[in-house]
C-alpha cells in the first residue's frame, strides 16, 4: 500500500459497503472486514481489529447490528479516529455510537441518500446527509464528499429522522406495497405509472434489514404510517359508497 494514502477500515461489505468501497478505493487504501462477503478488488480483507485500527472507520453494517459492532471495535480504535456509519436513520445509530465508542474518537453519522441502484450511473448530483457529533468538525468529510460529486447536507439526528419519515419511510412503504401486488407488465402505460414503477423497482431488492430500519427504527415513521393507512381506508370507504375520492370537506 502507498504510504502517503490514508487507510480506511470498512466494516461490513454488503451491498452498500461494496458499492462505497468501489468509489473510495481510487483515493484510499481500504482494509475491509466482513466474514460473509466475497473478495473485492481494491480492498484488502483483514481481521476486525485491523480494520478498526485505521484512522478512519466506516461502519456499513445493518442498524440492527450497529450496537454490537461498536462494542466489538471499541478496544481497537486509535486515539482521534474518525468513525462514520451509513445508516438510513440517525437517532438510534448516533445513540449507539456515543454509548459504546470510546471518548477519544470522533463520530459523524452519515446517510447517503442513494444506493447501488439509484446511483448506478455515478455519484454526481446525489446527496448525502452528515450528522456530526457535538464538537466534531465535519468539514473534511464534507469536502471529500463534494469532491466525489455529492451534494452535502448538514443536520442533527432528530431533524434528519423527522425529514426521512416523510421522504423515505413513506416512499419505501408505498413502493413495497405496490411490489407486493406483483402486477404483470401492462401492454401500454402512462408517464405517471412509469414513474411509480421506477420508484418501486429502486427499492424492490433492498434487504429486509434496510426496510425494517427505515420503517421501525425511525422514531417518526410509525405515526406517519398510521396516518397513511387511515387515509387509504378513508379513500376506500368513499369509493365504496360512491362519494368520490375528495377530501370530504
Amino acid at each position: 500500500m502507498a504510504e502517503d494514502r490514508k487507510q480506511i477500515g470498512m466494516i461490513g461489505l454488503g451491498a452498500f459497503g461494496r458499492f462505497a468501497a468501489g468509489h473510495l478505493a481510487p483515493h484510499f487504501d481500504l482494509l475491509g472486514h466482513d466474514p460473509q462477503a466475497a473478495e473485492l478488488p481494491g480492498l484488502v480483507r483483514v481481521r476486525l481489529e485491523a480494520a478498526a485500527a485505521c484512522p478512519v472507520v466506516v461502519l456499513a453494517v445493518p442498524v440492527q447490528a450497529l450496537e454490537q459492532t461498536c462494542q466489538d471495535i471499541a478496544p481497537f480504535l486509535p486515539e482521534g479516529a474518525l468513525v462514520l456509519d451509513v445508516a438510513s436513520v440517525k437517532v438510534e445509530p448516533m445513540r449507539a455510537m456515543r454509548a459504546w465508542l470510546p471518548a477519544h474518537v470522533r463520530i459523524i453519522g452519515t446517510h447517503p441518500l442513494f444506493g447501488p441502484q439509484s446511483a448506478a450511473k455515478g455519484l454526481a448530483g446525489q446527496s448525502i446527509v452528515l450528522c456530526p457529533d457535538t464538537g466534531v468538525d465535519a468539514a473534511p468529510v464534507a469536502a471529500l464528499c463534494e469532491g466525489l460529486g455529492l451534494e452535502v447536507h448538514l443536520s442533527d439526528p432528530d431533524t434528519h429522522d423527522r425529514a426521512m419519515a416523510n421522504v423515505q419511510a413513506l416512499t419505501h412503504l408505498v413502493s413495497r406495497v405496490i411490489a407486493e401486488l406483483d402486477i404483470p407488465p401492462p401492454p401500454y402505460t402512462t408517464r405517471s405509472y412509469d414513474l411509480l414503477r421506477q420508484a418501486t423497482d429502486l427499492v424492490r431488492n433492498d434487504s429486509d434489514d434496510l426496510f425494517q430500519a427505515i420503517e421501525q427504527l425511525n422514531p417518526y415513521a410509525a405515526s406517519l404510517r398510521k396516518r397513511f393507512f387511515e387515509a387509504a381506508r378513508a379513500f376506500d370507504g368513499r369509493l365504496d359508497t360512491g362519494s368520490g375520492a375528495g377530501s370530504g370537506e
Side-chain angles (χ1 to χ4, degrees):
M1 290 184 176
E3 294 184 359
D4 60 342
R5 299 211 320 168
K6 180 171 287 188
Q7 290 184 345
I8 292 182
M10 298 284 301
I11 298 176
L13 297 171
F16 189 83
R18 295 172 70 85
F19 172 77
H23 287 279
L24 292 173
H27 311 284
F28 301 93
D29 290 327
L30 302 184
L31 304 184
H33 175 79
D34 188 330
Q36 299 179 344
E39 295 295 328
L40 184 65
L43 179 145
V44 178
R45 297 285 295 277
V46 297
R47 295 172 62 88
L48 178 68
E49 51 265 37
C54 293
V56 178
V57 178
V58 177
L59 306 179
V61 300
V63 181
Q64 296 86 342
L66 187 64
E67 186 166 301
Q68 184 61 55
T69 301
C70 288
Q71 295 178 51
D72 292 342
I73 68 173
F76 310 111
L77 292 166
E79 184 84 23
L82 175 63
V83 181
L84 308 99
D85 79 306
V86 295
S88 295
V89 292
K90 290 274 71 79
V91 169
E92 173 58 22
M94 291 297 289
R95 181 207 64 77
M97 289 190 287
R98 287 167 179 151
W100 294 107
L101 297 182
H104 63 68
V105 304
R106 297 166 293 147
I107 298 170
I108 298 180
T110 84
H111 180 193
L113 300 177
F114 54 87
Q117 293 186 358
S118 57
K121 296 182 179 180
L123 298 182
Q126 302 288 349
S127 293
I128 186 169
V129 181
L130 305 182
C131 296
D133 198 11
T134 303
V136 175
D137 182 13
V141 175
L144 168 64
C145 292
E146 290 170 348
L148 293 173
L150 297 172
E151 182 177 341
V152 177
H153 304 271
L154 295 178
S155 181
D156 63 87
D158 189 76
T159 300
H160 169 276
D161 282 6
R162 285 181 183 273
M164 286 301 106
N166 296 320
V167 171
Q168 196 169 42
L170 182 59
T171 56
H172 279 242
L173 176 64
V174 172
S175 296
R176 275 295 182 104
V177 170
I178 293 172
E180 287 290 321
L181 295 176
D182 197 22
I183 300 171
Y188 30 78
T189 67
T190 63
R191 178 59 176 159
S192 58
Y193 178 88
D194 291 340
L195 292 172
L196 191 61
R197 192 74 186 193
Q198 288 173 23
T200 302
D201 290 341
L202 283 175
V203 304
R204 184 184 298 275
N205 296 319
D206 285 348
S207 69
D208 288 338
D209 281 341
L210 175 59
F211 182 68
Q212 290 170 8
I214 290 170
E215 300 296 339
Q216 296 177 324
L217 297 181
N218 184 324
Y220 302 103
S223 60
L224 181 63
R225 184 168 65 250
K226 181 178 180 181
R227 287 170 51 204
F228 171 78
F229 283 117
E230 287 175 347
R233 285 191 291 269
F235 272 112
D236 188 43
R238 289 199 291 271
L239 290 169
D240 281 344
T241 60
S243 60
S247 64
E249 296 179 356

